[in-house]
Amino acid sequence: MKEVINAYRTACLDLDEETQVTLINCILRYYILNNSYEQARNFLSKSKYIENVSVHEDSRYLYYLGRINCVNMNYSEAFSNLTNCLRKAPEGSPGFIATVEKLQMIVELLMGEIPDLSKYNKLFQVGPYIMLLNSVKKGDLNEFKEIIERFKTFFFQDKNYNLIQRLRLIVIKVGLRRINLSYSRISIKDIAEKLNLGSEKETKLVIMKAIRDGVFLAKINNDTGVVESKEITDVYSTFDPQKAFHRRIQFLNNIFNESMKGIKYPDNKSKKKKEDTLADEDEDLGFEGQYLDL
């Protein structure tokens, strides 16, 4: 690894951009394979990746960056990185695209959103992830645990097992939202039984956190131990439309910025050289300083 870092320093001194981006991806890949995400983040803070040198290297870099951001719980940035990665990914690499989209599915779930199943059905070896997604949509904690135990080795091979473990809280939130839609008043004990959360004290803490995070509108009556739901009369009085517009605007701005970076403009030197060539041609033809009277 020390030799690779020394080679990267040499490439920076020689201004060899193609070698720089290749070695950055090699270093990040080494850190990720060894689960050294803190070292990878420190390396990213001290290095500068040069975009548009190679589309394939850009795609790899965005995938590594998305995985690092996901591990560090920067889910919005990770989702943006993975979306741009898929846009730049080569079409002849179905294995790489499947790896990226599996991670993107997990990131989208961790953001509290439900991905569209139609775009994942054609992926390679995606069956366990589809089952996992369905269990999250149902809010069924028992089914979620069974799927994790059943495909534990498969998730470990994809290096997504630790990230999938974080989905437990999302499953609980989805289950609470479904209960909130079905019952106007329900006891904490019944919620604990339906979601298999264990003790009532733990269930109460989970409900309080979900209410604070805006998962659903309700209040807890401490005297009776009952959760009383509140009806949403107007969705536009919440922050949901604002968040949706923000995501769309951010996505369009990212596409615009990427397209602007991809545009190549002629250098000033080549422009000046072209002007000098035209002036020499006019001089050879005897047209220098002369104008035609029309």
Side-chain angles (χ1 to χ4, degrees):
M1 188 60 192
K2 190 176 180 181
E3 296 177 356
V4 179
I5 293 177
N6 289 333
Y8 172 68
R9 289 173 180 167
T10 304
C12 292
L13 293 173
D14 294 341
L15 301 178
D16 188 349
E17 295 181 350
E18 190 171 353
T19 305
Q20 286 181 49
V21 298
T22 304
L23 290 176
I24 285 175
N25 284 332
C26 290
I27 293 168
L28 291 177
R29 183 176 183 272
Y30 174 82
Y31 285 141
I32 290 172
L33 288 175
N34 291 277
N35 294 321
S36 303
Y37 288 96
E38 189 63 31
Q39 288 180 295
R41 190 172 65 173
N42 292 335
F43 174 74
L44 285 172
S45 65
K46 296 176 183 178
S47 61
K48 183 179 180 181
Y49 185 85
I50 304 169
E51 296 181 357
N52 299 321
V53 175
S54 171
V55 179
H56 295 173
E57 295 298 334
D58 287 352
S59 182
R60 286 181 61 198
Y61 175 76
L62 288 168
Y63 166 68
Y64 295 145
L65 192 61
R67 181 168 283 278
I68 292 168
N69 281 325
C70 182
V71 170
N72 292 321
M73 298 185 180
N74 299 323
Y75 300 128
S76 298
E77 293 181 15
F79 185 76
S80 176
N81 295 143
L82 296 172
T83 302
N84 291 330
C85 171
L86 290 172
R87 197 160 49 83
K88 293 187 175 185
E91 295 181 359
S93 56
F96 176 73
I97 292 173
T99 302
V100 176
E101 291 197 339
K102 289 174 187 176
L103 181 59
Q104 188 185 39
M105 181 193 296
I106 296 171
V107 171
E108 203 166 352
L109 287 171
L110 288 169
M111 291 171 64
E113 300 178 3
I114 303 298
D116 184 12
L117 275 175
S118 60
K119 68 177 183 178
Y120 296 112
N121 287 329
K122 298 180 181 179
L123 293 182
F124 178 68
Q125 291 184 346
V126 77
Y129 288 89
I130 298 295
M131 296 170 65
L132 185 73
L133 177 57
N134 288 328
S135 68
V136 174
K137 287 175 68 176
K138 293 177 185 176
D140 191 337
L141 198 59
N142 283 335
E143 185 180 346
F144 175 75
K145 290 178 180 177
E146 289 175 4
I147 292 170
I148 289 180
E149 288 300 322
R150 182 180 173 186
F151 299 103
K152 186 176 181 180
T153 306
F154 182 80
F155 293 141
F156 262 115
Q157 289 176 354
D158 290 343
K159 292 189 174 296
N160 292 330
Y161 181 77
N162 292 331
L163 296 175
I164 289 171
Q165 289 284 358
R166 299 181 187 178
L167 291 173
R168 179 179 180 273
L169 184 60
I170 304 298
V171 176
I172 294 172
K173 287 182 177 179
V174 173
L176 287 173
R177 193 181 293 118
R178 291 171 69 92
I179 290 173
N180 177 62
L181 293 173
S182 302
Y183 299 91
S184 59
R185 295 177 77 256
I186 185 172
S187 65
I188 297 175
K189 183 180 179 180
D190 291 338
I191 293 175
E193 291 177 358
K194 287 180 179 295
L195 298 180
N196 298 304
L197 293 178
S199 64
E200 292 185 30
K201 186 176 181 180
E202 181 187 355
T203 305
K204 185 177 179 181
L205 292 174
V206 171
I207 294 170
M208 290 172 64
K209 188 177 186 305
I211 293 172
R212 186 192 64 186
D213 294 342
V215 176
F216 61 94
L217 295 176
K219 65 178 181 179
I220 299 175
N221 191 330
N222 293 317
D223 297 330
T224 59
V226 172
V227 178
E228 299 176 356
S229 302
K230 297 180 181 178
E231 294 183 3
I232 301 175
T233 55
D234 184 13
V235 70
Y236 290 100
S237 63
T238 65
F239 289 102
D240 291 341
Q242 181 181 350
K243 292 177 181 178
F245 278 120
H246 176 71
R247 285 196 298 270
R248 294 175 186 176
I249 293 169
Q250 191 175 24
F251 176 74
L252 293 174
N253 284 335
N254 288 334
I255 292 178
F256 176 77
N257 292 333
E258 290 293 328
S259 62
M260 292 301 293
K261 290 178 183 177
I263 296 175
K264 293 184 178 180
Y265 298 96
D267 297 333
N268 291 329
K269 291 182 180 179
S270 60
K271 185 178 179 181
K272 186 177 180 182
K273 186 177 179 181
K274 186 176 181 180
E275 291 177 353
D276 294 341
T277 304
L278 291 174
D280 292 340
E281 291 177 357
D282 290 344
E283 186 176 356
D284 293 339
L285 294 173
F287 292 152
E288 185 182 11
Q290 298 182 12
Y291 300 95
L292 294 175
D293 294 333
L294 296 178

